[in-house]
Amino acid sequence: MKLARMPDGSPEIFYSLQGEGRHAGRPSVFIRASLCNLHCHWCDTDYTWNWTGTSYAHERDADPSYRKYNREEQIVDLTPHEIASSLAAFSCHNYVFTGGEPLLQERSWLDLMAILAKADGSSPFFEIETNGTLMPGAPFLERIHQINVSPKLTNSGVPGEQRLKPAVLSSLASTGKADFKFVIGSEEDLQEVVDLVTEANLVHDRVFLMPKARKVAELESQQGTVAAFARELGFRYSDRLHLRLYGSRRGV
Ligand code: SF4
């Protein structure tokens, strides 16, 4: 299983508070997968996909110190059993599978959930964060408790045919386990959200608008506007709690 590798060589597995969506503030153990099938130009986990030799643009390209990542240096390969052993160090049993795009490794997550459910007498809770382009199979859907879907808008810089899969969004919605979170950078993004909500038949109470922000200052300048959009359209507002608490650091 390919996980993001921290600079010290360890897999990116850490105990923190969920920062976004329905379970914001909840203590959770995060497991970050490497690899993604999209390449959003504002992505804050670009070390999971923006490999040397690729031509994907990133908003940090303007920073002279920014470099694409060496793929081998950014991935650590572990079996689900090895990951489960690492997780035994935590007394928390709320797990968040994040990335990158974790559903690229659906089979391995399924194996990991089976191991944890067997090893863990305290009813583990499994949550996944996905970009909504891949539909998991029935065994995975049976095991997972919460699916945080974040469909990407034009502001991601990714072509529509790659990032938008309305049929997948509808199917995820029909599981009753999915919330849908949209990153809002400007008022122009709202019509796209409304159109997609209509096309995929999403329930308003399951839709979150979240400010596009990589830094606390950006979050603070955007929060009032995005909160007003949420009020006006009857959607929920999602903060980025981890950004306020820890900044844009990894592994916290
Ligand atoms: S889908 Fe998520 S992880 Fe992948 S490039 Fe976009 S923001 Fe980054």
Side-chain angles (χ1 to χ4, degrees), residues 8 35 40 43 45 65 82 98 107 132 143 157 168 181 210 215 229:
D8 67 2
L35 310 180
C40 308
C43 178
T45 54
S65 67
E82 287 170 328
T98 188
R107 177 71 231 182
R143 287 261 185 209
V168 172
K181 181 192 71 194
M210 186 178 82
K215 295 183 177 147
F229 292 155

Side-chain angles (χ1 to χ4, degrees), residues 92-130:
C92 175
H93 302 284
N94 300 322
Y95 300 101
V96 179
F97 308 152
T98 188
E101 174 45 65
L103 280 178
L104 290 171
Q105 304 181 75
E106 177 186 343
R107 177 71 231 182
S108 298
W109 294 116
L110 190 53
D111 292 346
L112 179 61
M113 287 191 284
I115 296 165
L116 292 172
K118 214 179 273 176
D120 184 338
S122 59
S123 304
F125 186 89
F126 300 121
E127 184 166 347
I128 190 163
E129 302 185 329
T130 174

Side-chain angles (χ1 to χ4, degrees), residues 170-204:
S170 294
S171 299
L172 288 168
S174 71
T175 66
K177 297 181 175 183
D179 287 331
F180 298 84
K181 181 192 71 194
F182 294 90
V183 175
I184 304 298
S186 70
E187 191 165 0
E188 286 78 68
D189 297 336
L190 293 178
Q191 193 55 51
E192 282 183 63
V193 174
V194 170
D195 290 347
L196 203 52
V197 164
T198 305
E199 186 178 359
N201 201 20
L202 308 182
V203 175
H204 278 224

Side-chain angles (χ1 to χ4, degrees), residues 36-40 42-46 48-49 99-101 131 150 152:
C36 189
N37 57 343
L38 300 184
H39 39 88
C40 308
W42 41 252
C43 178
D44 58 4
T45 54
D46 46 336
T48 63
W49 57 268
E101 174 45 65
N131 60 30
S150 182
K152 301 302 180 259

Side-chain angles (χ1 to χ4, degrees), residues 1-3 13 31 77-88 105-116:
M1 198 168 180
K2 293 182 173 20
L3 299 189
I13 296 175
I31 306 153
D77 221 333
L78 297 173
T79 66
H81 277 284
E82 287 170 328
I83 296 169
S85 298
S86 309
L87 296 173
Q105 304 181 75
E106 177 186 343
R107 177 71 231 182
S108 298
W109 294 116
L110 190 53
D111 292 346
L112 179 61
M113 287 191 284
I115 296 165
L116 292 172

Side-chain angles (χ1 to χ4, degrees), residues 111-167:
D111 292 346
L112 179 61
M113 287 191 284
I115 296 165
L116 292 172
K118 214 179 273 176
D120 184 338
S122 59
S123 304
F125 186 89
F126 300 121
E127 184 166 347
I128 190 163
E129 302 185 329
T130 174
N131 60 30
T133 58
L134 303 167
M135 187 63 202
F140 183 94
L141 292 172
E142 205 171 296
R143 287 261 185 209
I144 200 79
H145 297 99
Q146 169 72 29
I147 308 171
N148 300 322
V149 188
S150 182
K152 301 302 180 259
L153 304 177
T154 303
N155 70 27
S156 66
V158 179
E161 63 274 18
Q162 284 179 37
R163 64 181 161 79
L164 284 184
K165 307 287 176 189

Side-chain angles (χ1 to χ4, degrees), residues 202-222:
L202 308 182
V203 175
H204 278 224
D205 190 48
R206 287 281 197 172
V207 175
F208 291 72
L209 305 184
M210 186 178 82
K212 174 177 171 288
R214 290 164 54 95
K215 295 183 177 147
V216 177
E218 290 168 356
L219 186 58
E220 287 176 344
S221 78
Q222 290 291 319

